[in-house]
Amino acid sequence: EFEDAETGTALSLISDAFEELSDLIKKDNGVSIELRLKPFCDACSLVSVLFGSLGIAFKFAEMEYTSKVRDLSEAASLYGTLSKVIDYDVKSDTVQSAESLTRKLRRVRQGLDLIRELFQNFLSTDDYSLKEAASEAYKQVCAPYHTWAVRTAVSAGMCALPTRDQLLLNLNESDESAESEMRRYIKASLPIINYIDNLYTSRGITLDW
Ligand code: 1PZ
């Protein structure tokens, strides 16, 4: 349904966007580059279309994720870069505060990592159902930081995920095209995730939340 000769599938647009970001970061080994919020949020908001291929069970996850990306995006012109966001919250001692942008950035980063882990599981064996691949990824990446109530809702939602084949149909991908797009995303997202983590750890902020 997203297929278009000019623009490609949703998955290919996501991989393109993250490759562009990771190319920026790799240019100087991620040491001194300042990643800007605007292109980062633009890439993150593309991910939202994946939710559409999952059925209604993850409507609440979609709203959670997109509202955080939107809040960061709206602050883009004020802050400019990701590091400015964190500097601001460090100064005002609001790094982990409920509505802080530094907290939202941490959650969005966990979302990107969740997809990466999910794709990795999905590609690791044809025997994995989408439900198994997603449950494993969630358990590893997000569950440790979520409340019992959220974890329970997520595990109920997992049962309503489509099958592998249905997901590929919804995404307008073949086995082969999905594999190559997912591999591109896995490769491109890792340096971005590491870059974000480094913004926290280099300021003495732990990643256990
Ligand atoms: C094909 C892909 C299947 C993936 C299935 C993934 C299901 C993940 C469900 C996550 C539900 C999150 C519900 C809300 C959690 C909130 O408690 C936390 C903490 O918020 P805070 O207290 O800081 O305000 N929110 C989050 O962790 C942000 C949401 C992350 C979810 C990202 C999903 C990523 C995209 C999945 C791909 C479609």
Side-chain angles (χ1 to χ4, degrees):
E1 53 194 299
F2 299 106
E3 185 84 59
D4 183 301
E6 292 278 299
T7 56
T9 60
L11 213 47
S12 73
L13 291 180
I14 293 169
S15 303
D16 287 347
F18 282 93
E19 273 181 354
E20 271 180 44
L21 284 183
S22 76
D23 285 347
L24 285 178
I25 288 175
K26 280 186 294 194
K27 256 188 205 140
D28 40 21
N29 296 320
V31 179
S32 56
I33 185 161
E34 286 288 348
L35 188 56
R36 301 193 60 80
L37 259 182
K38 179 77 169 74
F40 173 74
C41 291
D42 288 346
C44 291
S45 54
L46 288 177
V47 167
S48 306
V49 303
L50 285 186
F51 285 108
S53 63
L54 298 179
I56 57 157
F58 286 106
K59 199 72 203 164
F60 74 105
E62 173 178 6
M63 287 162 56
E64 246 305 288
Y65 176 83
T66 54
S67 80
K68 285 176 162 70
V69 173
R70 195 185 322 111
D71 290 343
L72 285 165
S73 188
E74 281 168 0
S77 58
L78 188 58
Y79 290 89
T81 65
L82 272 63
S83 66
K84 288 270 162 45
V85 167
I86 303 181
D87 284 337
Y88 174 87
D89 282 315
V90 166
K91 247 186 217 140
S92 55
D93 197 19
T94 47
V95 166
Q96 293 189 34
S97 301
E99 281 304 309
S100 91
L101 290 174
T102 299
R103 183 181 178 105
K104 287 172 191 187
L105 177 61
R106 173 104 184 105
R107 299 301 176 222
V108 169
R109 171 257 182 249
Q110 283 164 344
L112 299 180
D113 200 17
L114 177 66
I115 300 163
R116 188 199 51 76
E117 187 72 24
L118 167 73
F119 285 177
Q120 204 138 284
N121 291 342
F122 191 87
L123 296 179
S124 67
T125 159
D126 289 340
D127 298 336
Y128 248 167
S129 66
L130 178 60
K131 180 192 174 208
E132 288 168 318
S135 302
E136 250 334 287
Y138 176 76
K139 196 170 101 188
Q140 201 155 330
V141 177
C142 290
Y145 313 109
H146 285 172
T147 62
W148 179 85
V150 168
R151 294 199 308 272
T152 306
V154 170
S155 78
M158 292 292 178
C159 300
L161 282 175
T163 61
R164 282 179 80 101
D165 289 343
Q166 189 60 53
L167 177 73
L168 296 181
L169 273 177
N170 294 349
L171 291 172
N172 225 322
E173 301 284 352
S174 64
D175 267 319
E176 294 74 24
S177 66
E179 168 159 357
S180 88
E181 297 304 340
M182 287 180 183
R183 289 207 190 287
R184 285 208 297 139
Y185 175 84
I186 292 169
K187 187 156 177 261
S189 61
L190 206 51
I192 299 163
I193 289 165
N194 289 335
Y195 173 88
I196 297 172
D197 284 352
N198 190 251
L199 294 177
Y200 290 76
T201 54
S202 64
R203 289 166 176 79
I205 303 167
T206 59
L207 299 175
D208 55 353
W209 54 285

